[in-house]
Amino acid sequence: MEVFLQQLINGISLGSIYALIALGYTMVYGIVQLINFAHGDVYMVGAYLGFFATAILGWSFLPALVMAMIVCAILGVVIEKLAYKPLRNAPRITALITAIGVSLFLEYGTMLLVTPQVRTFPQVLPEVQWKLFGNLTVSNRQVIILVTTIVLMVLLQYIVHKTKIGKAMRAVSYDKQAAQLMGINVNQTISATFAIGSALAAAAGVLVGIYYNAINPLMGIMPGLKAFVAAVLGGIGIIPGAMTGGFLLGIVEAMVSGYGKSLYRDPVAFVILIIILIVKPAGLFGKNVREKV
């Protein structure tokens, strides 16, 4: 029982990371029906920005987190303007190939700038562990990851449901042409969606840095793919689905690792993807007709 509870705690921490990245996938897809495979590499850039802020500038965790989110929000807008906007009316396969190209550009561009070597994230938050009962422990880093994720998710829900830009995002996701006829600036709304999604991915990158203490230019590939699986699991284009899918995937991975099958923690994510596409292609929160953001 202790092993189960310990892996549940670990899985919630890992799932928080997947959920933050998955939100960017699902928001962009909900607005422009694009699978932005460069999103995992924005997460990687966020981790390096957090490393730069803490190791070079000597900033503490919170300023580094905010700075990484702001810079990656700008990066997301630049990517959308330069790479995706010119292809908005092109076939989907064209945009998909472009997304893969942007992903490779970010990976190897970062490698050129900072070298391929693994960087050790500074000890911004000295680790403190608390024993709950028996051998069951929880660390301050796990608590900070969960609290940060919840705060950002609540903030996202507020933006989407209570602000003008959030209402515009929901309108564009339902009917882009009708929203444009009603005076909504569709281009500005799409840029805002990329900015918010990229900022959340950057937050995940910084959180991973303080949790695992190691970053590298290719670190965004597998988490990006798994976050995509999480988004599909919950229902691509549905924000609560991305949150739920991220947490579920993180818990499943932790359970697989905790019970001695760590070699299968990566394949299990894609097995889940295959099963969900066969059994419920719209995802756990999806319906026969795709629900909107």
Side-chain angles (χ1 to χ4, degrees):
M1 189 63 178
E2 282 186 5
V3 173
F4 174 81
L5 292 176
Q6 185 65 66
Q7 294 307 317
L8 181 62
I9 292 171
N10 296 341
I12 290 172
S13 298
L14 180 61
S16 299
I17 305 299
Y18 289 153
L20 286 176
I21 305 172
L23 284 169
Y25 274 115
T26 210
M27 288 175 66
V28 168
Y29 185 85
I31 299 293
V32 292
Q33 284 75 58
L34 167 69
I35 303 298
N36 180 21
F37 280 119
H39 192 62
D41 298 294
V42 175
Y43 146 88
M44 175 271 296
V45 172
Y48 270 93
L49 288 168
F51 172 82
F52 174 78
T54 53
I56 308 300
L57 301 180
W59 291 3
S60 60
F61 164 69
L62 190 57
L65 179 71
V66 173
M67 185 274 285
M69 291 178 69
I70 291 172
V71 174
C72 281
I74 297 170
L75 175 63
V77 173
V78 171
I79 290 172
E80 190 275 327
K81 294 290 187 187
L82 295 182
Y84 300 141
K85 185 179 178 182
L87 302 174
R88 200 166 291 164
N89 297 318
R92 289 190 183 184
I93 189 66
T94 305
L96 181 63
I97 293 170
T98 301
I100 296 172
V102 173
S103 173
L104 292 171
F105 175 79
L106 290 175
E107 289 167 10
Y108 290 94
T110 302
M111 199 177 292
L112 182 65
L113 289 174
V114 301
T115 73
Q117 70 183 50
V118 176
R119 304 282 177 144
T120 302
F121 219 86
Q123 294 281 345
V124 182
L125 299 170
E127 187 170 11
V128 178
Q129 292 194 340
W130 299 289
K131 277 200 170 186
L132 302 182
F133 57 85
N135 294 320
L136 188 64
T137 60
V138 61
S139 72
N140 61 326
R141 295 178 184 178
Q142 290 174 320
V143 172
I144 288 170
I145 287 173
L146 181 59
V147 170
T148 303
T149 300
I150 291 173
V151 169
L152 290 174
M153 287 179 176
V154 170
L155 182 60
L156 175 64
Q157 290 289 2
Y158 175 81
I159 291 172
V160 169
H161 294 284
K162 300 294 183 182
T163 66
K164 186 176 179 181
I165 190 65
K167 293 176 182 177
M169 288 164 59
R170 286 185 286 133
V172 172
S173 73
Y174 275 104
D175 193 320
K176 189 186 300 182
Q177 291 182 337
Q180 197 164 16
L181 290 172
M182 295 300 293
I184 293 174
N185 188 327
V186 173
N187 290 329
Q188 184 179 354
T189 303
I190 293 172
S191 294
T193 303
F194 271 85
I196 294 170
S198 298
L200 293 173
V206 177
L207 292 173
V208 161
I210 67 168
Y211 189 55
Y212 291 108
N213 293 325
I215 60 174
N216 68 82
L218 301 180
M219 64 180 281
I221 298 174
M222 191 56 69
L225 290 174
K226 289 180 180 177
F228 170 67
V229 173
V232 173
L233 174 61
I236 191 77
I238 304 170
I239 288 176
M243 298 176 187
T244 305
F247 282 112
L248 286 177
L249 185 61
I251 290 169
V252 169
E253 271 198 35
M255 292 300 173
V256 171
S257 298
Y259 286 95
K261 303 293 182 182
S262 59
L263 289 176
Y264 299 111
R265 59 174 294 174
D266 290 339
V268 76
F270 303 103
V271 170
I272 291 173
L273 176 62
I274 294 169
I275 292 172
I276 200 70
L277 289 175
I278 293 172
V279 176
K280 201 173 190 301
L284 298 177
F285 284 62
K287 298 179 181 178
N288 291 332
V289 177
R290 186 177 61 83
E291 219 175 288
K292 306 294 182 176
V293 173

